[in-house]
Amino acid sequence: MNSIELVIFFQFFIGLFAAVNPLGIMPIFVSLTAHQAPVERNKTAYIASIAVAAILVVSLLAGQLLLDFFSISLDSFRVAGGLLLVSIAFTMMSGKLGEDKQNKQEQSESVSREQIGVVPLAMPLLAGPGAISSTIVYASRYPSSVDTVGLIVCICLFAAGIWGLLRLAPTIVKFLGQTGINVITRIMGLILAALGIEFITNGLRALFPGLS
């Protein structure tokens, strides 16, 4: 494995972190699990992290098949995914936590559901459209078996990180406060916007060679 591949994996990991923004989701997690005992809350965090890993790995492995089925080119999807990431990024930079990933109907339904680890935490709050589209773009751009294994390892490490952060969510939220969470969310939004613009630029260059 050369240094270029390590940079790709690192970029993918940071992009996932920015797209998912687990720190910004923490207040929502604490609110949704307020009625649970610490043991139950930890179990919910574990289920959410496993579900996130499963969703992203399936997207990684089946993303290209989905594009081929609908006859969508990678470059077109890259532009669309970049626009989606930029849209989410602007919402994050405005300080709106999770409002871009969960509508009012999903929010009301989640209150009555016992198993909140999968819905709405894993989907759509954590493994939302931004993370899924970013995963499909990387899978299609780097299709070799070595790259696929590396991306899966990144997803597993990322899911483990989410599990650890969610377990510490009550303490972190209390320490950072809403202002601290908002600052981190805006920084993640800026990183996500830059990643989305990179997707759009690369896609447009391939679709319209004259631009380069």
Side-chain angles (χ1 to χ4, degrees), residues 7-35:
V7 170
I8 292 170
F9 298 148
F10 180 74
Q11 184 185 40
F12 174 64
F13 184 88
I14 295 299
L16 274 184
F17 194 90
V20 173
N21 186 29
L23 291 176
I25 299 299
M26 280 186 180
I28 300 175
F29 172 78
V30 172
S31 175
L32 289 174
T33 59
H35 64 286

PDB file of all heavy atoms in Angstrom, residues 7-35:
ATOM      1  N   VAL A   7      -3.394   8.450   1.483  1.00  0.00           N
ATOM      2  CA  VAL A   7      -4.003   9.788   1.397  1.00  0.00           C
ATOM      3  C   VAL A   7      -5.465   9.678   0.980  1.00  0.00           C
ATOM      4  O   VAL A   7      -6.335  10.382   1.513  1.00  0.00           O
ATOM      5  CB  VAL A   7      -3.223  10.669   0.404  1.00  0.00           C
ATOM      6  CG1 VAL A   7      -3.982  11.968   0.130  1.00  0.00           C
ATOM      7  CG2 VAL A   7      -1.836  10.979   0.941  1.00  0.00           C
ATOM      8  N   ILE A   8      -5.757   8.783   0.021  1.00  0.00           N
ATOM      9  CA  ILE A   8      -7.136   8.577  -0.431  1.00  0.00           C
ATOM     10  C   ILE A   8      -8.014   8.105   0.725  1.00  0.00           C
ATOM     11  O   ILE A   8      -9.118   8.616   0.943  1.00  0.00           O
ATOM     12  CB  ILE A   8      -7.181   7.561  -1.585  1.00  0.00           C
ATOM     13  CG1 ILE A   8      -6.523   8.156  -2.837  1.00  0.00           C
ATOM     14  CG2 ILE A   8      -8.627   7.158  -1.894  1.00  0.00           C
ATOM     15  CD1 ILE A   8      -6.314   7.148  -3.941  1.00  0.00           C
ATOM     16  N   PHE A   9      -7.516   7.118   1.476  1.00  0.00           N
ATOM     17  CA  PHE A   9      -8.291   6.586   2.596  1.00  0.00           C
ATOM     18  C   PHE A   9      -8.493   7.655   3.676  1.00  0.00           C
ATOM     19  O   PHE A   9      -9.573   7.754   4.263  1.00  0.00           O
ATOM     20  CB  PHE A   9      -7.587   5.371   3.196  1.00  0.00           C
ATOM     21  CG  PHE A   9      -7.430   4.227   2.226  1.00  0.00           C
ATOM     22  CD1 PHE A   9      -6.332   3.376   2.309  1.00  0.00           C
ATOM     23  CD2 PHE A   9      -8.362   4.011   1.226  1.00  0.00           C
ATOM     24  CE1 PHE A   9      -6.190   2.321   1.417  1.00  0.00           C
ATOM     25  CE2 PHE A   9      -8.221   2.967   0.324  1.00  0.00           C
ATOM     26  CZ  PHE A   9      -7.129   2.114   0.425  1.00  0.00           C
ATOM     27  N   PHE A  10      -7.450   8.443   3.922  1.00  0.00           N
ATOM     28  CA  PHE A  10      -7.570   9.502   4.929  1.00  0.00           C
ATOM     29  C   PHE A  10      -8.587  10.546   4.483  1.00  0.00           C
ATOM     30  O   PHE A  10      -9.409  11.012   5.284  1.00  0.00           O
ATOM     31  CB  PHE A  10      -6.194  10.151   5.156  1.00  0.00           C
ATOM     32  CG  PHE A  10      -6.216  11.251   6.182  1.00  0.00           C
ATOM     33  CD1 PHE A  10      -6.316  10.956   7.538  1.00  0.00           C
ATOM     34  CD2 PHE A  10      -6.136  12.587   5.796  1.00  0.00           C
ATOM     35  CE1 PHE A  10      -6.335  11.963   8.488  1.00  0.00           C
ATOM     36  CE2 PHE A  10      -6.165  13.607   6.740  1.00  0.00           C
ATOM     37  CZ  PHE A  10      -6.255  13.284   8.092  1.00  0.00           C
ATOM     38  N   GLN A  11      -8.543  10.910   3.207  1.00  0.00           N
ATOM     39  CA  GLN A  11      -9.493  11.874   2.667  1.00  0.00           C
ATOM     40  C   GLN A  11     -10.920  11.340   2.765  1.00  0.00           C
ATOM     41  O   GLN A  11     -11.850  12.071   3.114  1.00  0.00           O
ATOM     42  CB  GLN A  11      -9.149  12.199   1.216  1.00  0.00           C
ATOM     43  CG  GLN A  11     -10.033  13.264   0.587  1.00  0.00           C
ATOM     44  CD  GLN A  11      -9.738  13.471  -0.887  1.00  0.00           C
ATOM     45  OE1 GLN A  11      -9.493  12.517  -1.612  1.00  0.00           O
ATOM     46  NE2 GLN A  11      -9.756  14.713  -1.333  1.00  0.00           N
ATOM     47  N   PHE A  12     -11.100  10.057   2.465  1.00  0.00           N
ATOM     48  CA  PHE A  12     -12.416   9.434   2.560  1.00  0.00           C
ATOM     49  C   PHE A  12     -12.917   9.460   4.007  1.00  0.00           C
ATOM     50  O   PHE A  12     -14.080   9.794   4.269  1.00  0.00           O
ATOM     51  CB  PHE A  12     -12.332   7.996   2.057  1.00  0.00           C
ATOM     52  CG  PHE A  12     -13.597   7.199   2.228  1.00  0.00           C
ATOM     53  CD1 PHE A  12     -14.759   7.552   1.566  1.00  0.00           C
ATOM     54  CD2 PHE A  12     -13.621   6.091   3.060  1.00  0.00           C
ATOM     55  CE1 PHE A  12     -15.931   6.820   1.726  1.00  0.00           C
ATOM     56  CE2 PHE A  12     -14.777   5.350   3.229  1.00  0.00           C
ATOM     57  CZ  PHE A  12     -15.932   5.714   2.563  1.00  0.00           C
ATOM     58  N   PHE A  13     -12.040   9.142   4.951  1.00  0.00           N
ATOM     59  CA  PHE A  13     -12.414   9.120   6.362  1.00  0.00           C
ATOM     60  C   PHE A  13     -12.820  10.511   6.835  1.00  0.00           C
ATOM     61  O   PHE A  13     -13.860  10.680   7.494  1.00  0.00           O
ATOM     62  CB  PHE A  13     -11.240   8.594   7.197  1.00  0.00           C
ATOM     63  CG  PHE A  13     -11.553   8.442   8.659  1.00  0.00           C
ATOM     64  CD1 PHE A  13     -12.104   7.267   9.143  1.00  0.00           C
ATOM     65  CD2 PHE A  13     -11.299   9.478   9.554  1.00  0.00           C
ATOM     66  CE1 PHE A  13     -12.387   7.125  10.499  1.00  0.00           C
ATOM     67  CE2 PHE A  13     -11.589   9.346  10.900  1.00  0.00           C
ATOM     68  CZ  PHE A  13     -12.132   8.167  11.370  1.00  0.00           C
ATOM     69  N   ILE A  14     -12.017  11.520   6.498  1.00  0.00           N
ATOM     70  CA  ILE A  14     -12.337  12.891   6.908  1.00  0.00           C
ATOM     71  C   ILE A  14     -13.626  13.362   6.250  1.00  0.00           C
ATOM     72  O   ILE A  14     -14.457  14.044   6.872  1.00  0.00           O
ATOM     73  CB  ILE A  14     -11.182  13.845   6.548  1.00  0.00           C
ATOM     74  CG1 ILE A  14      -9.924  13.480   7.347  1.00  0.00           C
ATOM     75  CG2 ILE A  14     -11.573  15.293   6.817  1.00  0.00           C
ATOM     76  CD1 ILE A  14     -10.085  13.569   8.846  1.00  0.00           C
ATOM     77  N   GLY A  15     -13.820  12.976   4.967  1.00  0.00           N
ATOM     78  CA  GLY A  15     -15.047  13.338   4.276  1.00  0.00           C
ATOM     79  C   GLY A  15     -16.278  12.730   4.940  1.00  0.00           C
ATOM     80  O   GLY A  15     -17.319  13.389   5.063  1.00  0.00           O
ATOM     81  N   LEU A  16     -16.159  11.473   5.366  1.00  0.00           N
ATOM     82  CA  LEU A  16     -17.262  10.831   6.079  1.00  0.00           C
ATOM     83  C   LEU A  16     -17.561  11.556   7.380  1.00  0.00           C
ATOM     84  O   LEU A  16     -18.723  11.794   7.730  1.00  0.00           O
ATOM     85  CB  LEU A  16     -16.921   9.369   6.371  1.00  0.00           C
ATOM     86  CG  LEU A  16     -17.223   8.318   5.306  1.00  0.00           C
ATOM     87  CD1 LEU A  16     -16.905   6.929   5.846  1.00  0.00           C
ATOM     88  CD2 LEU A  16     -18.670   8.391   4.861  1.00  0.00           C
ATOM     89  N   PHE A  17     -16.507  11.888   8.108  1.00  0.00           N
ATOM     90  CA  PHE A  17     -16.691  12.568   9.387  1.00  0.00           C
ATOM     91  C   PHE A  17     -17.395  13.901   9.187  1.00  0.00           C
ATOM     92  O   PHE A  17     -18.282  14.277   9.970  1.00  0.00           O
ATOM     93  CB  PHE A  17     -15.330  12.789  10.068  1.00  0.00           C
ATOM     94  CG  PHE A  17     -15.427  13.181  11.504  1.00  0.00           C
ATOM     95  CD1 PHE A  17     -15.447  12.228  12.506  1.00  0.00           C
ATOM     96  CD2 PHE A  17     -15.511  14.523  11.863  1.00  0.00           C
ATOM     97  CE1 PHE A  17     -15.548  12.591  13.839  1.00  0.00           C
ATOM     98  CE2 PHE A  17     -15.603  14.901  13.196  1.00  0.00           C
ATOM     99  CZ  PHE A  17     -15.627  13.942  14.187  1.00  0.00           C
ATOM    100  N   ALA A  18     -17.014  14.622   8.130  1.00  0.00           N
ATOM    101  CA  ALA A  18     -17.648  15.910   7.864  1.00  0.00           C
ATOM    102  C   ALA A  18     -19.100  15.734   7.420  1.00  0.00           C
ATOM    103  O   ALA A  18     -19.982  16.499   7.820  1.00  0.00           O
ATOM    104  CB  ALA A  18     -16.853  16.674   6.802  1.00  0.00           C
ATOM    105  N   ALA A  19     -19.351  14.717   6.572  1.00  0.00           N
ATOM    106  CA  ALA A  19     -20.702  14.490   6.061  1.00  0.00           C
ATOM    107  C   ALA A  19     -21.649  14.032   7.163  1.00  0.00           C
ATOM    108  O   ALA A  19     -22.806  14.470   7.241  1.00  0.00           O
ATOM    109  CB  ALA A  19     -20.670  13.460   4.931  1.00  0.00           C
ATOM    110  N   VAL A  20     -21.170  13.144   8.009  1.00  0.00           N
ATOM    111  CA  VAL A  20     -22.017  12.597   9.081  1.00  0.00           C
ATOM    112  C   VAL A  20     -22.130  13.578  10.245  1.00  0.00           C
ATOM    113  O   VAL A  20     -23.188  13.734  10.850  1.00  0.00           O
ATOM    114  CB  VAL A  20     -21.459  11.243   9.560  1.00  0.00           C
ATOM    115  CG1 VAL A  20     -22.212  10.751  10.786  1.00  0.00           C
ATOM    116  CG2 VAL A  20     -21.543  10.208   8.453  1.00  0.00           C
ATOM    117  N   ASN A  21     -21.007  14.257  10.584  1.00  0.00           N
ATOM    118  CA  ASN A  21     -20.968  15.213  11.685  1.00  0.00           C
ATOM    119  C   ASN A  21     -21.520  14.612  12.982  1.00  0.00           C
ATOM    120  O   ASN A  21     -22.525  15.073  13.525  1.00  0.00           O
ATOM    121  CB  ASN A  21     -21.754  16.479  11.319  1.00  0.00           C
ATOM    122  CG  ASN A  21     -21.627  17.565  12.375  1.00  0.00           C
ATOM    123  OD1 ASN A  21     -20.620  17.642  13.072  1.00  0.00           O
ATOM    124  ND2 ASN A  21     -22.645  18.387  12.502  1.00  0.00           N
ATOM    125  N   PRO A  22     -20.885  13.536  13.490  1.00  0.00           N
ATOM    126  CA  PRO A  22     -21.407  12.886  14.701  1.00  0.00           C
ATOM    127  C   PRO A  22     -21.444  13.807  15.911  1.00  0.00           C
ATOM    128  O   PRO A  22     -22.309  13.654  16.777  1.00  0.00           O
ATOM    129  CB  PRO A  22     -20.439  11.715  14.909  1.00  0.00           C
ATOM    130  CG  PRO A  22     -19.207  12.082  14.148  1.00  0.00           C
ATOM    131  CD  PRO A  22     -19.661  12.895  12.990  1.00  0.00           C
ATOM    132  N   LEU A  23     -20.534  14.782  15.985  1.00  0.00           N
ATOM    133  CA  LEU A  23     -20.559  15.711  17.115  1.00  0.00           C
ATOM    134  C   LEU A  23     -21.827  16.566  17.084  1.00  0.00           C
ATOM    135  O   LEU A  23     -22.405  16.869  18.131  1.00  0.00           O
ATOM    136  CB  LEU A  23     -19.315  16.606  17.090  1.00  0.00           C
ATOM    137  CG  LEU A  23     -17.980  15.909  17.382  1.00  0.00           C
ATOM    138  CD1 LEU A  23     -16.823  16.884  17.230  1.00  0.00           C
ATOM    139  CD2 LEU A  23     -17.977  15.308  18.780  1.00  0.00           C
ATOM    140  N   GLY A  24     -22.230  16.953  15.884  1.00  0.00           N
ATOM    141  CA  GLY A  24     -23.449  17.741  15.767  1.00  0.00           C
ATOM    142  C   GLY A  24     -24.714  16.952  16.064  1.00  0.00           C
ATOM    143  O   GLY A  24     -25.734  17.517  16.455  1.00  0.00           O
ATOM    144  N   ILE A  25     -24.636  15.623  15.863  1.00  0.00           N
ATOM    145  CA  ILE A  25     -25.791  14.761  16.115  1.00  0.00           C
ATOM    146  C   ILE A  25     -25.918  14.423  17.599  1.00  0.00           C
ATOM    147  O   ILE A  25     -26.974  13.994  18.068  1.00  0.00           O
ATOM    148  CB  ILE A  25     -25.668  13.461  15.285  1.00  0.00           C
ATOM    149  CG1 ILE A  25     -25.626  13.804  13.792  1.00  0.00           C
ATOM    150  CG2 ILE A  25     -26.822  12.508  15.541  1.00  0.00           C
ATOM    151  CD1 ILE A  25     -26.868  14.514  13.291  1.00  0.00           C
ATOM    152  N   MET A  26     -24.855  14.654  18.370  1.00  0.00           N
ATOM    153  CA  MET A  26     -24.860  14.260  19.785  1.00  0.00           C
ATOM    154  C   MET A  26     -26.028  14.816  20.587  1.00  0.00           C
ATOM    155  O   MET A  26     -26.662  14.076  21.359  1.00  0.00           O
ATOM    156  CB  MET A  26     -23.531  14.652  20.436  1.00  0.00           C
ATOM    157  CG  MET A  26     -22.406  13.683  20.160  1.00  0.00           C
ATOM    158  SD  MET A  26     -20.930  14.122  21.084  1.00  0.00           S
ATOM    159  CE  MET A  26     -19.851  12.805  20.546  1.00  0.00           C
ATOM    160  N   PRO A  27     -26.342  16.114  20.462  1.00  0.00           N
ATOM    161  CA  PRO A  27     -27.496  16.608  21.238  1.00  0.00           C
ATOM    162  C   PRO A  27     -28.795  15.895  20.887  1.00  0.00           C
ATOM    163  O   PRO A  27     -29.642  15.663  21.758  1.00  0.00           O
ATOM    164  CB  PRO A  27     -27.561  18.097  20.843  1.00  0.00           C
ATOM    165  CG  PRO A  27     -26.181  18.441  20.407  1.00  0.00           C
ATOM    166  CD  PRO A  27     -25.660  17.200  19.744  1.00  0.00           C
ATOM    167  N   ILE A  28     -28.958  15.534  19.605  1.00  0.00           N
ATOM    168  CA  ILE A  28     -30.157  14.800  19.187  1.00  0.00           C
ATOM    169  C   ILE A  28     -30.138  13.408  19.801  1.00  0.00           C
ATOM    170  O   ILE A  28     -31.170  12.913  20.279  1.00  0.00           O
ATOM    171  CB  ILE A  28     -30.218  14.719  17.653  1.00  0.00           C
ATOM    172  CG1 ILE A  28     -30.255  16.131  17.051  1.00  0.00           C
ATOM    173  CG2 ILE A  28     -31.443  13.918  17.195  1.00  0.00           C
ATOM    174  CD1 ILE A  28     -30.201  16.157  15.542  1.00  0.00           C
ATOM    175  N   PHE A  29     -28.977  12.757  19.815  1.00  0.00           N
ATOM    176  CA  PHE A  29     -28.850  11.425  20.421  1.00  0.00           C
ATOM    177  C   PHE A  29     -29.200  11.476  21.907  1.00  0.00           C
ATOM    178  O   PHE A  29     -29.936  10.613  22.411  1.00  0.00           O
ATOM    179  CB  PHE A  29     -27.426  10.903  20.226  1.00  0.00           C
ATOM    180  CG  PHE A  29     -27.132   9.633  20.966  1.00  0.00           C
ATOM    181  CD1 PHE A  29     -27.581   8.410  20.480  1.00  0.00           C
ATOM    182  CD2 PHE A  29     -26.410   9.648  22.146  1.00  0.00           C
ATOM    183  CE1 PHE A  29     -27.315   7.230  21.161  1.00  0.00           C
ATOM    184  CE2 PHE A  29     -26.139   8.474  22.839  1.00  0.00           C
ATOM    185  CZ  PHE A  29     -26.593   7.266  22.341  1.00  0.00           C
ATOM    186  N   VAL A  30     -28.681  12.474  22.606  1.00  0.00           N
ATOM    187  CA  VAL A  30     -28.965  12.599  24.042  1.00  0.00           C
ATOM    188  C   VAL A  30     -30.453  12.814  24.267  1.00  0.00           C
ATOM    189  O   VAL A  30     -31.049  12.242  25.191  1.00  0.00           O
ATOM    190  CB  VAL A  30     -28.146  13.759  24.646  1.00  0.00           C
ATOM    191  CG1 VAL A  30     -28.573  14.019  26.091  1.00  0.00           C
ATOM    192  CG2 VAL A  30     -26.659  13.439  24.591  1.00  0.00           C
ATOM    193  N   SER A  31     -31.084  13.611  23.407  1.00  0.00           N
ATOM    194  CA  SER A  31     -32.518  13.871  23.546  1.00  0.00           C
ATOM    195  C   SER A  31     -33.344  12.617  23.289  1.00  0.00           C
ATOM    196  O   SER A  31     -34.287  12.313  24.031  1.00  0.00           O
ATOM    197  CB  SER A  31     -32.924  14.986  22.574  1.00  0.00           C
ATOM    198  OG  SER A  31     -34.318  15.186  22.601  1.00  0.00           O
ATOM    199  N   LEU A  32     -32.968  11.879  22.223  1.00  0.00           N
ATOM    200  CA  LEU A  32     -33.736  10.681  21.874  1.00  0.00           C
ATOM    201  C   LEU A  32     -33.592   9.570  22.910  1.00  0.00           C
ATOM    202  O   LEU A  32     -34.479   8.735  23.059  1.00  0.00           O
ATOM    203  CB  LEU A  32     -33.281  10.162  20.505  1.00  0.00           C
ATOM    204  CG  LEU A  32     -33.669  11.003  19.281  1.00  0.00           C
ATOM    205  CD1 LEU A  32     -33.027  10.429  18.022  1.00  0.00           C
ATOM    206  CD2 LEU A  32     -35.187  11.052  19.117  1.00  0.00           C
ATOM    207  N   THR A  33     -32.456   9.547  23.608  1.00  0.00           N
ATOM    208  CA  THR A  33     -32.202   8.468  24.578  1.00  0.00           C
ATOM    209  C   THR A  33     -32.345   8.945  26.022  1.00  0.00           C
ATOM    210  O   THR A  33     -31.876   8.279  26.943  1.00  0.00           O
ATOM    211  CB  THR A  33     -30.790   7.882  24.368  1.00  0.00           C
ATOM    212  OG1 THR A  33     -29.816   8.930  24.526  1.00  0.00           O
ATOM    213  CG2 THR A  33     -30.656   7.281  22.987  1.00  0.00           C
ATOM    214  N   ALA A  34     -32.990  10.091  26.219  1.00  0.00           N
ATOM    215  CA  ALA A  34     -33.104  10.651  27.568  1.00  0.00           C
ATOM    216  C   ALA A  34     -33.869   9.731  28.505  1.00  0.00           C
ATOM    217  O   ALA A  34     -33.634   9.720  29.715  1.00  0.00           O
ATOM    218  CB  ALA A  34     -33.785  12.023  27.502  1.00  0.00           C
ATOM    219  N   HIS A  35     -34.794   8.938  27.942  1.00  0.00           N
ATOM    220  CA  HIS A  35     -35.616   8.055  28.768  1.00  0.00           C
ATOM    221  C   HIS A  35     -34.932   6.723  29.057  1.00  0.00           C
ATOM    222  O   HIS A  35     -35.466   5.904  29.814  1.00  0.00           O
ATOM    223  CB  HIS A  35     -36.941   7.775  28.056  1.00  0.00           C
ATOM    224  CG  HIS A  35     -36.785   7.036  26.770  1.00  0.00           C
ATOM    225  ND1 HIS A  35     -36.301   7.650  25.625  1.00  0.00           N
ATOM    226  CD2 HIS A  35     -37.016   5.739  26.431  1.00  0.00           C
ATOM    227  CE1 HIS A  35     -36.262   6.762  24.643  1.00  0.00           C
ATOM    228  NE2 HIS A  35     -36.688   5.601  25.103  1.00  0.00           N
TER     229      HIS A  35
END
